[in-house]
Amino acid sequence: AKDYELRQYETAKWVSTVIRGETQKEAMRQGFWKLFHYIQGKNEREMKIDMTVPVTCLIKSGCTDFKISFFVPFEHQDSPPQPTDSDVFIEERKAAAIFVRSFGGFASPDKYAEEAEVLARMLRNRGQPFHEDFFYTAGYDSPFKLFNRHNEVWYFKK
């Protein structure tokens, strides 16, 4: 469809942290720094790891827990260094078909929610079954990039 795409993602490891009881914006800030410290060497091997994109945030309806994640680079997928911060963990996300809607600009929590609602409405209208109780936000750009920014919202296909 012109307004969204269906992607097939393979099983992959992500480094994640869950921030509880904060606003989405504050959770993203805190989560980003916890994960950034991990890739800067706060791990069992004291290894620096390249920053990857996207940075994702799991949004569950009616929940104030936010799971922020960085994709583990391909060269570390087989055995990523274990985090030394007890709030940071490695997770394996199973292969999945994901509906993706892309948009530009600086993405606020309100903008992500608005784009997710637009995508959900399109999927319902087209009879596409998807998990409606959660979605992911995906950001691809540094905060210092001003133009041609790329953001996404993801719903998992049922």
Side-chain angles (χ1 to χ4, degrees), residues 101-127:
R101 179 170 169 79
S102 300
F103 60 98
F106 280 91
S108 64
D110 286 346
K111 181 65 173 163
Y112 276 125
E114 181 185 308
E115 293 292 337
E117 186 45 49
V118 168
L119 176 56
R121 193 166 48 244
M122 286 189 289
L123 295 173
R124 283 186 211 108
N125 288 345
R126 295 186 179 138

mmCIF file of all heavy atoms in Angstrom, residues 101-127:
data_model
loop_
_atom_site.group_PDB
_atom_site.id
_atom_site.type_symbol
_atom_site.label_atom_id
_atom_site.label_comp_id
_atom_site.label_asym_id
_atom_site.label_seq_id
_atom_site.Cartn_x
_atom_site.Cartn_y
_atom_site.Cartn_z
ATOM 1 N N ARG A 101 4.647 2.243 9.107
ATOM 2 C CA ARG A 101 4.294 3.541 8.529
ATOM 3 C C ARG A 101 5.447 4.495 8.831
ATOM 4 O O ARG A 101 5.865 4.634 9.976
ATOM 5 C CB ARG A 101 3.000 4.073 9.137
ATOM 6 C CG ARG A 101 2.601 5.444 8.593
ATOM 7 C CD ARG A 101 1.188 5.827 9.027
ATOM 8 N NE ARG A 101 0.891 7.218 8.739
ATOM 9 C CZ ARG A 101 0.553 7.693 7.551
ATOM 10 N NH1 ARG A 101 0.469 6.885 6.515
ATOM 11 N NH2 ARG A 101 0.287 8.982 7.380
ATOM 12 N N SER A 102 5.979 5.136 7.789
ATOM 13 C CA SER A 102 7.108 6.057 7.919
ATOM 14 C C SER A 102 6.629 7.498 7.860
ATOM 15 O O SER A 102 5.636 7.804 7.186
ATOM 16 C CB SER A 102 8.097 5.838 6.766
ATOM 17 O OG SER A 102 8.575 4.513 6.781
ATOM 18 N N PHE A 103 7.342 8.373 8.559
ATOM 19 C CA PHE A 103 7.042 9.807 8.500
ATOM 20 C C PHE A 103 8.303 10.592 8.855
ATOM 21 O O PHE A 103 9.236 10.048 9.447
ATOM 22 C CB PHE A 103 5.867 10.174 9.416
ATOM 23 C CG PHE A 103 6.084 9.877 10.878
ATOM 24 C CD1 PHE A 103 6.483 10.878 11.751
ATOM 25 C CD2 PHE A 103 5.889 8.598 11.382
ATOM 26 C CE1 PHE A 103 6.697 10.611 13.096
ATOM 27 C CE2 PHE A 103 6.095 8.323 12.727
ATOM 28 C CZ PHE A 103 6.502 9.335 13.588
ATOM 29 N N GLY A 104 8.331 11.851 8.482
ATOM 30 C CA GLY A 104 9.514 12.682 8.694
ATOM 31 C C GLY A 104 9.361 13.630 9.869
ATOM 32 O O GLY A 104 8.405 13.543 10.642
ATOM 33 N N GLY A 105 10.310 14.533 9.992
ATOM 34 C CA GLY A 105 10.266 15.553 11.039
ATOM 35 C C GLY A 105 10.776 15.053 12.378
ATOM 36 O O GLY A 105 11.254 13.931 12.504
ATOM 37 N N PHE A 106 10.651 15.916 13.384
ATOM 38 C CA PHE A 106 11.002 15.536 14.751
ATOM 39 C C PHE A 106 9.789 14.859 15.361
ATOM 40 O O PHE A 106 8.709 15.437 15.385
ATOM 41 C CB PHE A 106 11.409 16.770 15.570
ATOM 42 C CG PHE A 106 12.819 17.194 15.312
ATOM 43 C CD1 PHE A 106 13.108 18.109 14.319
ATOM 44 C CD2 PHE A 106 13.861 16.657 16.048
ATOM 45 C CE1 PHE A 106 14.418 18.495 14.067
ATOM 46 C CE2 PHE A 106 15.178 17.031 15.804
ATOM 47 C CZ PHE A 106 15.453 17.953 14.818
ATOM 48 N N ALA A 107 9.967 13.631 15.825
ATOM 49 C CA ALA A 107 8.823 12.846 16.311
ATOM 50 C C ALA A 107 8.660 13.008 17.816
ATOM 51 O O ALA A 107 9.533 12.639 18.582
ATOM 52 C CB ALA A 107 9.014 11.381 15.966
ATOM 53 N N SER A 108 7.537 13.556 18.218
ATOM 54 C CA SER A 108 7.186 13.649 19.633
ATOM 55 C C SER A 108 6.331 12.431 19.982
ATOM 56 O O SER A 108 5.800 11.761 19.088
ATOM 57 C CB SER A 108 6.359 14.912 19.870
ATOM 58 O OG SER A 108 5.124 14.799 19.164
ATOM 59 N N PRO A 109 6.154 12.154 21.279
ATOM 60 C CA PRO A 109 5.231 11.068 21.647
ATOM 61 C C PRO A 109 3.837 11.255 21.029
ATOM 62 O O PRO A 109 3.222 10.284 20.579
ATOM 63 C CB PRO A 109 5.193 11.153 23.176
ATOM 64 C CG PRO A 109 6.563 11.664 23.534
ATOM 65 C CD PRO A 109 6.879 12.664 22.446
ATOM 66 N N ASP A 110 3.345 12.503 20.984
ATOM 67 C CA ASP A 110 2.023 12.755 20.388
ATOM 68 C C ASP A 110 2.018 12.423 18.898
ATOM 69 O O ASP A 110 1.055 11.859 18.380
ATOM 70 C CB ASP A 110 1.601 14.221 20.579
ATOM 71 C CG ASP A 110 1.193 14.507 22.016
ATOM 72 O OD1 ASP A 110 0.986 13.546 22.800
ATOM 73 O OD2 ASP A 110 1.091 15.697 22.370
ATOM 74 N N LYS A 111 3.101 12.787 18.205
ATOM 75 C CA LYS A 111 3.193 12.511 16.766
ATOM 76 C C LYS A 111 3.243 11.003 16.511
ATOM 77 O O LYS A 111 2.583 10.492 15.605
ATOM 78 C CB LYS A 111 4.423 13.218 16.168
ATOM 79 C CG LYS A 111 4.598 13.017 14.673
ATOM 80 C CD LYS A 111 3.478 13.647 13.870
ATOM 81 C CE LYS A 111 3.772 13.566 12.381
ATOM 82 N NZ LYS A 111 2.559 13.797 11.578
ATOM 83 N N TYR A 112 4.032 10.270 17.323
ATOM 84 C CA TYR A 112 4.067 8.810 17.187
ATOM 85 C C TYR A 112 2.674 8.218 17.404
ATOM 86 O O TYR A 112 2.232 7.361 16.649
ATOM 87 C CB TYR A 112 5.049 8.192 18.185
ATOM 88 C CG TYR A 112 6.492 8.167 17.741
ATOM 89 C CD1 TYR A 112 7.483 8.733 18.530
ATOM 90 C CD2 TYR A 112 6.882 7.545 16.554
ATOM 91 C CE1 TYR A 112 8.831 8.690 18.149
ATOM 92 C CE2 TYR A 112 8.220 7.500 16.163
ATOM 93 C CZ TYR A 112 9.183 8.066 16.969
ATOM 94 O OH TYR A 112 10.505 8.009 16.581
ATOM 95 N N ALA A 113 1.970 8.670 18.441
ATOM 96 C CA ALA A 113 0.632 8.141 18.744
ATOM 97 C C ALA A 113 -0.336 8.433 17.595
ATOM 98 O O ALA A 113 -1.142 7.571 17.210
ATOM 99 C CB ALA A 113 0.108 8.745 20.051
ATOM 100 N N GLU A 114 -0.232 9.626 17.042
ATOM 101 C CA GLU A 114 -1.092 10.031 15.925
ATOM 102 C C GLU A 114 -0.820 9.147 14.694
ATOM 103 O O GLU A 114 -1.760 8.643 14.060
ATOM 104 C CB GLU A 114 -0.776 11.498 15.629
ATOM 105 C CG GLU A 114 -1.554 12.162 14.535
ATOM 106 C CD GLU A 114 -1.006 13.593 14.319
ATOM 107 O OE1 GLU A 114 -0.900 14.362 15.295
ATOM 108 O OE2 GLU A 114 -0.679 13.898 13.155
ATOM 109 N N GLU A 115 0.456 8.938 14.374
ATOM 110 C CA GLU A 115 0.809 8.104 13.216
ATOM 111 C C GLU A 115 0.399 6.644 13.446
ATOM 112 O O GLU A 115 -0.040 5.966 12.516
ATOM 113 C CB GLU A 115 2.306 8.198 12.919
ATOM 114 C CG GLU A 115 2.747 9.574 12.440
ATOM 115 C CD GLU A 115 2.220 9.956 11.063
ATOM 116 O OE1 GLU A 115 1.871 9.057 10.257
ATOM 117 O OE2 GLU A 115 2.154 11.169 10.775
ATOM 118 N N ALA A 116 0.535 6.158 14.676
ATOM 119 C CA ALA A 116 0.113 4.784 14.995
ATOM 120 C C ALA A 116 -1.392 4.649 14.800
ATOM 121 O O ALA A 116 -1.872 3.636 14.276
ATOM 122 C CB ALA A 116 0.511 4.422 16.419
ATOM 123 N N GLU A 117 -2.145 5.662 15.203
ATOM 124 C CA GLU A 117 -3.604 5.625 15.051
ATOM 125 C C GLU A 117 -3.983 5.629 13.569
ATOM 126 O O GLU A 117 -4.882 4.902 13.147
ATOM 127 C CB GLU A 117 -4.252 6.794 15.797
ATOM 128 C CG GLU A 117 -5.767 6.742 15.819
ATOM 129 C CD GLU A 117 -6.363 5.362 16.143
ATOM 130 O OE1 GLU A 117 -5.944 4.725 17.130
ATOM 131 O OE2 GLU A 117 -7.247 4.888 15.380
ATOM 132 N N VAL A 118 -3.286 6.418 12.765
ATOM 133 C CA VAL A 118 -3.542 6.454 11.320
ATOM 134 C C VAL A 118 -3.274 5.068 10.722
ATOM 135 O O VAL A 118 -4.087 4.543 9.952
ATOM 136 C CB VAL A 118 -2.658 7.532 10.625
ATOM 137 C CG1 VAL A 118 -2.694 7.384 9.105
ATOM 138 C CG2 VAL A 118 -3.110 8.929 11.042
ATOM 139 N N LEU A 119 -2.143 4.465 11.091
ATOM 140 C CA LEU A 119 -1.811 3.136 10.579
ATOM 141 C C LEU A 119 -2.848 2.106 11.032
ATOM 142 O O LEU A 119 -3.323 1.303 10.215
ATOM 143 C CB LEU A 119 -0.409 2.723 11.030
ATOM 144 C CG LEU A 119 0.043 1.313 10.642
ATOM 145 C CD1 LEU A 119 -0.032 1.078 9.127
ATOM 146 C CD2 LEU A 119 1.464 1.049 11.153
ATOM 147 N N ALA A 120 -3.222 2.135 12.297
ATOM 148 C CA ALA A 120 -4.210 1.184 12.818
ATOM 149 C C ALA A 120 -5.532 1.306 12.056
ATOM 150 O O ALA A 120 -6.146 0.305 11.672
ATOM 151 C CB ALA A 120 -4.431 1.412 14.313
ATOM 152 N N ARG A 121 -5.952 2.541 11.804
ATOM 153 C CA ARG A 121 -7.211 2.780 11.079
ATOM 154 C C ARG A 121 -7.123 2.211 9.657
ATOM 155 O O ARG A 121 -8.049 1.546 9.187
ATOM 156 C CB ARG A 121 -7.511 4.286 11.068
ATOM 157 C CG ARG A 121 -8.924 4.623 10.621
ATOM 158 C CD ARG A 121 -9.331 6.060 10.939
ATOM 159 N NE ARG A 121 -8.325 7.047 10.530
ATOM 160 C CZ ARG A 121 -7.658 7.845 11.377
ATOM 161 N NH1 ARG A 121 -7.865 7.788 12.672
ATOM 162 N NH2 ARG A 121 -6.767 8.706 10.908
ATOM 163 N N MET A 122 -5.997 2.441 8.979
ATOM 164 C CA MET A 122 -5.833 1.918 7.611
ATOM 165 C C MET A 122 -5.865 0.383 7.612
ATOM 166 O O MET A 122 -6.489 -0.224 6.741
ATOM 167 C CB MET A 122 -4.525 2.409 7.002
ATOM 168 C CG MET A 122 -4.581 3.866 6.605
ATOM 169 S SD MET A 122 -3.142 4.381 5.656
ATOM 170 C CE MET A 122 -1.879 4.374 6.894
ATOM 171 N N LEU A 123 -5.170 -0.221 8.586
ATOM 172 C CA LEU A 123 -5.131 -1.686 8.640
ATOM 173 C C LEU A 123 -6.526 -2.260 8.900
ATOM 174 O O LEU A 123 -6.929 -3.239 8.264
ATOM 175 C CB LEU A 123 -4.140 -2.156 9.715
ATOM 176 C CG LEU A 123 -2.672 -1.804 9.448
ATOM 177 C CD1 LEU A 123 -1.810 -2.172 10.656
ATOM 178 C CD2 LEU A 123 -2.153 -2.494 8.188
ATOM 179 N N ARG A 124 -7.269 -1.641 9.828
ATOM 180 C CA ARG A 124 -8.652 -2.096 10.101
ATOM 181 C C ARG A 124 -9.506 -1.961 8.846
ATOM 182 O O ARG A 124 -10.254 -2.873 8.498
ATOM 183 C CB ARG A 124 -9.268 -1.275 11.234
ATOM 184 C CG ARG A 124 -8.790 -1.669 12.601
ATOM 185 C CD ARG A 124 -9.552 -0.898 13.695
ATOM 186 N NE ARG A 124 -8.682 -0.710 14.829
ATOM 187 C CZ ARG A 124 -8.119 0.441 15.212
ATOM 188 N NH1 ARG A 124 -8.369 1.572 14.549
ATOM 189 N NH2 ARG A 124 -7.332 0.492 16.242
ATOM 190 N N ASN A 125 -9.397 -0.807 8.171
ATOM 191 C CA ASN A 125 -10.204 -0.556 6.967
ATOM 192 C C ASN A 125 -9.899 -1.562 5.860
ATOM 193 O O ASN A 125 -10.762 -1.860 5.044
ATOM 194 C CB ASN A 125 -9.975 0.863 6.439
ATOM 195 C CG ASN A 125 -10.605 1.910 7.340
ATOM 196 O OD1 ASN A 125 -11.442 1.591 8.190
ATOM 197 N ND2 ASN A 125 -10.194 3.150 7.181
ATOM 198 N N ARG A 126 -8.668 -2.065 5.830
ATOM 199 C CA ARG A 126 -8.280 -3.020 4.787
ATOM 200 C C ARG A 126 -8.389 -4.465 5.261
ATOM 201 O O ARG A 126 -7.942 -5.373 4.557
ATOM 202 C CB ARG A 126 -6.859 -2.710 4.305
ATOM 203 C CG ARG A 126 -6.832 -1.341 3.616
ATOM 204 C CD ARG A 126 -5.511 -1.009 2.991
ATOM 205 N NE ARG A 126 -5.626 0.302 2.360
ATOM 206 C CZ ARG A 126 -4.694 1.236 2.416
ATOM 207 N NH1 ARG A 126 -3.565 1.003 3.047
ATOM 208 N NH2 ARG A 126 -4.881 2.387 1.821
ATOM 209 N N GLY A 127 -8.937 -4.664 6.469
ATOM 210 C CA GLY A 127 -9.146 -6.014 6.982
ATOM 211 C C GLY A 127 -7.852 -6.752 7.296
ATOM 212 O O GLY A 127 -7.811 -7.984 7.252
#
